[in-house]
C-alpha cells in the first residue's frame, strides 16, 4: 500500500495535494514567528532570554540586600566595606550590579555594529547559551573578590550610568509618542483615526487632571506640605505649557501627543512623591503602604517587573536613535544588538540605584525599592527634562528653519 502511494504519477491529484500542502507549510514556517524561534539563530527569542537573565540578576541583588547578611556574614573580605555589618546590603547590590554590567558590556563590545544576519556575531548574540550562562555566573562571582574601595567608586560611576539609562528611556518614550501622533495625523490615517484620536486625547487629559487632583488630596493634605505642592503645581503648569506649545498655529502638532506626554509627566511626579521617605508626614499613602505587608510586597514586585520591562522595551528600540536612513536600510537584523546590550548594561547600574535609593550609604528597608530623597529628586528632574525635551522637539524645526532663512 505504501509502495503504491510512492509509485503514483506526480501528476495525480493526491500527489499534487500533498505537494501543495507541503509547500504551503514550508512557506508558513518561513514567514511565521515560528521560524524566528525554532530555525537557526533566533534574535527574537534571544532578547527574551536576556530579559530573563536580567530579571534573575535583579532578584539576586534583592536577595543579597535583604537576606544576604546572615548567609554571607562569614566572608572576612567583605567586612571591610563601609557600613560594617550592612556590607552585603547596599554594597552587595553594587557588586551584583557590577557583574551584570560587565556581562552586558562584554556582549555590547562583541556585537556592536552587527548589520547582517549572516554575520557570526548574530550567532553569538542568539546562541551559545551554555557559554554565556557560564560567563554570567563568572561575572556574578568576580565582584565579591574586588576590594571595597573599588566598589564604592563603581557606585559613584553607577549614578552617571543610571542617568544615561533614564535619558535613553526618556528619548525612547517621547519618540514613540511623537511617532504615534504623526502616524495618526498623516493623510492616510487622519480621517480614519479622527474619532479614536479625539477619544484617546480626551481620556488622557481627564486622567492627567484626575491624577493631579488625587495627588493634591493624598500628598498635599495641609499647607505645610510646600514641596509636594510645588511638585504637583509645576506638573500642572508643564501640562498646560506643553498643550499650548503643541496647539500653537506655527507648530500645529495636535492634541494627542501633549495628552500622552501629560500622562507621562503626571506618572513621573507621582513616582517622585512616592519615592519620598516613608517617615515624611505628607506622604500618608506611603505610610499606609508600609503597614500592609501584601501591598508593600506587591509594589516591590511590580517595581522590579517595571525595571525589566522598561529595559527590554528601550533596548529593542534602537531605530529611534538612527539619524541616517541610509544606515538603517543597510541593516537586516531585527534590532541593534550592540545598542540592546548597551541599554542592559546601563540598566544594570539603574537597578542598583533603585535598590539602594541612589545612596550607597543608607540602609534600605526590606521589600522597598527607589525610596529616599535622592530618588525623589532624580524622578522630578527627569520629569522636567522630559517636558523640556518634548517641547524642544516641537520648536527645533522652526528654529532651524529660521536660521536657514537668515543664512540665505
Amino acid at each position: 500500500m505504501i509502495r503504491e502511494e510512492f509509485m503514483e504519477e506526480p501528476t495525480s491529484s493526491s500527489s499534487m495535494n500533498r505537494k501543495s500542502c507541503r509547500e504551503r507549510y514550508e512557506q508558513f514556517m518561513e514567514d511565521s514567528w515560528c521560524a524566528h524561534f525554532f530555525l537557526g539563530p533566533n534574535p527574537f527569542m534571544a532578547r527574551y532570554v536576556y530579559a530573563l537573565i536580567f530579571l534573575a540578576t535583579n532578584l539576586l541583588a534583592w536577595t543579597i540586600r535583604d537576606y544576604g547578611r546572615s548567609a554571607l556574614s562569614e566572608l572576612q573580605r567583605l567586612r571591610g566595606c563601609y557600613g560594617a555589618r550592612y556590607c552585603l546590603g547596599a554594597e552587595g547590590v553594587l557588586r551584583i550590579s557590577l557583574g551584570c554590567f560587565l556581562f552586558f558590556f562584554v556582549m555590547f563590545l562583541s556585537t556592536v555594529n552587527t548589520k547582517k544576519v549572516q554575520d557570526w556575531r548574530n550567532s553569538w548574540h542568539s546562541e551559545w547559551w551554555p557559554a554565556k550562562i557560564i560567563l554570567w555566573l563568572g561575572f556574578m562571582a568576580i565582584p565579591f573578590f574586588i576590594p571595597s574601595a573599588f566598589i564604592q567608586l563603581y557606585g559613584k560611576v553607577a549614578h552617571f550610568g543610571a542617568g544615561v539609562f533614564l535619558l535613553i528611556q526618556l528619548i525612547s518614550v517621547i519618540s514613540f509618542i511623537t511617532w504615534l501622533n504623526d502616524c495618526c495625523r498623516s493623510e492616510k490615517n487622519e480621517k480614519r483615526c479622527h474619532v479614536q484620536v479625539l477619544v484617546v486625547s480626551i481620556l488622557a487629559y481627564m486622567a492627567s487632571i484626575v491624577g493631579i487632583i488625587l495627588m493634591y488630596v493624598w500628598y498635599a493634605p495641609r499647607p505645610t506640605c510646600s514641596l509636594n505642592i510645588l511638585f504637583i503645581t509645576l506638573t500642572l503648569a508643564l501640562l498646560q505649557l506643553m498643550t499650548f506649545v503643541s496647539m500653537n498655529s506655527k507648530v500645529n502638532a495636535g492634541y494627542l501627543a501633549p495628552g500622552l506626554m501629560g500622562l507621562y509627566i503626571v506618572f513621573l511626579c507621582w513616582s517622585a512623591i512616592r519615592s519620598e521617605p516613608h517617615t515624611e508626614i505628607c506622604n500618608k499613602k506611603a505610610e499606609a503602604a508600609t503597614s500592609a505587608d501584601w501591598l508593600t510586597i506587591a509594589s516591590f514586585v511590580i517595581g522590579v517587573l517595571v525595571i525589566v520591562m522598561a529595559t527590554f522595551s528601550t533596548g529593542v528600540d534602537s531605530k529611534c536613535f538612527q539619524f541616517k536612513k541610509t544606515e538603517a536600510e543597510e541593516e537586516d537584523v531585527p534590532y541593534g544588538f550592540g545598542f540592546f546590550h548597551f541599554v542592559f548594561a546601563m540598566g544594570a547600574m539603574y537597578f542598583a540605584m533603585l535598590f539602594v535609593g541612589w545612596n550607597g550609604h543608607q540602609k534600605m528597608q526590606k521589600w522597598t525599592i527607589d525610596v529616599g530623597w535622592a530618588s525623589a529628586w532624580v524622578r522630578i528632574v527627569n520629569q522636567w527634562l522630559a517636558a523640556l525635551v518634548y517641547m524642544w522637539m516641537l520648536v527645533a524645526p522652526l528654529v532651524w528653519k529660521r536660521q536657514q532663512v537668515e543664512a540665505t
Side-chain angles (χ1 to χ4, degrees):
M1 182 95 178
I2 299 176
R3 182 178 299 178
E4 291 177 357
E5 290 179 359
F6 278 103
M7 292 179 65
E8 284 183 348
E9 292 296 329
T11 57
S12 64
S13 60
S14 59
S15 178
M16 291 296 293
N17 290 335
R18 286 196 300 271
K19 183 178 180 181
S20 177
C21 292
R22 184 167 59 252
E23 290 177 350
R24 287 198 298 267
Y25 173 76
E26 292 176 354
Q27 185 65 33
F28 169 78
M29 286 297 295
E30 291 177 359
D31 296 337
S32 68
W33 283 90
C34 297
H36 297 303
F37 287 108
F38 298 110
L39 300 178
N42 306 317
F44 291 92
M45 184 65 177
R47 58 186 182 177
Y48 294 102
V49 179
Y50 287 116
L52 288 176
I53 293 175
F54 190 74
L55 174 61
T57 308
N58 277 257
L59 296 178
L60 180 60
W62 158 72
T63 303
I64 288 181
R65 187 198 70 175
D66 289 357
Y67 302 101
R69 291 193 299 271
S70 59
L72 300 176
S73 60
E74 299 302 322
L75 293 180
Q76 298 293 332
R77 182 182 295 273
L78 299 179
R79 290 185 175 180
C81 69
Y82 301 101
R85 66 189 184 92
Y86 300 118
C87 173
L88 289 176
E91 190 164 317
V93 171
L94 292 177
R95 292 177 186 271
I96 294 296
S97 170
L98 175 59
C100 184
F101 166 78
L102 291 175
F103 171 76
F104 282 107
F105 194 73
V106 167
M107 293 301 302
F108 161 72
L109 293 178
S110 59
T111 58
V112 66
N113 204 31
T114 303
K115 296 182 178 180
K116 299 293 183 180
V117 294
Q118 294 83 5
D119 196 324
W120 65 269
R121 291 175 294 180
N122 179 31
S123 177
W124 166 242
H125 168 80
S126 306
E127 297 179 322
W128 296 86
W129 294 113
K132 285 184 286 191
I133 293 299
I134 294 174
L135 183 66
W136 174 73
L137 292 174
F139 280 129
M140 289 297 102
I142 289 174
F144 285 92
F145 299 95
I146 295 178
S148 180
F150 182 84
I151 299 299
Q152 294 298 320
L153 176 62
Y154 170 76
K156 294 181 172 62
V157 176
H159 285 80
F160 173 77
V164 172
F165 175 83
L166 286 175
L167 181 61
I168 295 174
Q169 184 186 42
L170 184 150
I171 295 175
S172 177
V173 171
I174 295 177
S175 298
F176 172 76
I177 291 175
T178 54
W179 169 83
L180 181 62
N181 184 67
D182 294 340
C183 181
C184 293
R185 298 182 71 247
S186 63
E187 295 181 0
K188 180 180 179 181
N189 300 321
E190 186 173 9
K191 293 183 179 180
R192 184 175 59 183
C193 301
H194 177 72
V195 176
Q196 293 88 333
V197 169
L198 182 62
V199 171
V200 172
S201 301
I202 293 175
L203 291 177
Y205 279 108
M206 291 179 60
S208 300
I209 298 300
V210 170
I212 290 174
I213 294 174
L214 290 178
M215 285 192 292
Y216 273 120
V217 174
W218 290 340
Y219 304 117
R222 55 180 66 89
T224 54
C225 301
S226 57
L227 188 59
N228 287 354
I229 294 175
L230 175 63
F231 289 163
I232 301 170
T233 305
L234 283 177
T235 301
L236 179 61
L238 288 174
L239 175 62
Q240 300 300 321
L241 183 59
M242 289 189 303
T243 304
F244 173 77
V245 173
S246 181
M247 298 297 294
N248 187 277
S249 58
K250 295 182 179 180
V251 176
N252 193 24
Y255 36 79
L256 176 62
L260 296 178
M261 278 299 300
L263 275 179
Y264 183 55
I265 65 171
V266 168
F267 168 76
L268 291 177
C269 180
W270 175 81
S271 300
I273 297 177
R274 288 283 298 179
S275 296
E276 294 176 358
H278 293 168
T279 55
E280 177 65 23
I281 59 174
C282 295
N283 199 345
K284 293 299 182 182
K285 280 290 178 181
E287 182 180 352
T290 57
S291 62
D293 291 341
W294 67 268
L295 186 58
T296 304
I297 295 174
S299 300
F300 174 82
V301 172
I302 293 173
V304 172
L305 293 178
V306 167
I307 297 172
V308 178
M309 292 174 61
T311 308
F312 175 83
S313 60
T314 305
V316 298
D317 193 23
S318 59
K319 302 298 182 183
C320 69
F321 293 90
Q322 291 179 340
F323 301 101
K324 295 182 179 180
K325 294 184 179 179
T326 55
E327 293 183 1
E329 291 173 355
E330 294 177 357
E331 298 182 2
D332 58 5
V333 292
Y335 54 91
F337 298 157
F339 178 81
F340 178 85
H341 292 295
F342 178 78
V343 170
F344 271 80
M346 296 300 102
M349 296 183 175
Y350 176 66
F351 84 70
M353 292 297 99
L354 296 187
F355 277 125
V356 302
W358 296 81
N359 184 359
H361 300 295
Q362 72 175 356
K363 182 177 180 296
M364 299 286 289
Q365 299 294 327
K366 288 184 177 181
W367 298 100
T368 57
I369 186 171
D370 198 23
V371 174
W373 280 114
S375 298
W377 278 105
V378 167
R379 294 291 181 185
I380 208 67
V381 170
N382 190 38
Q383 182 209 43
W384 299 343
L385 185 61
L388 291 176
V389 170
Y390 170 72
M391 289 186 288
W392 170 248
M393 291 178 67
L394 296 178
V395 177
L398 299 177
V399 175
W400 293 335
K401 185 177 180 179
R402 177 178 297 180
Q403 290 178 350
Q404 292 177 355
V405 172
E406 293 177 353
T408 56

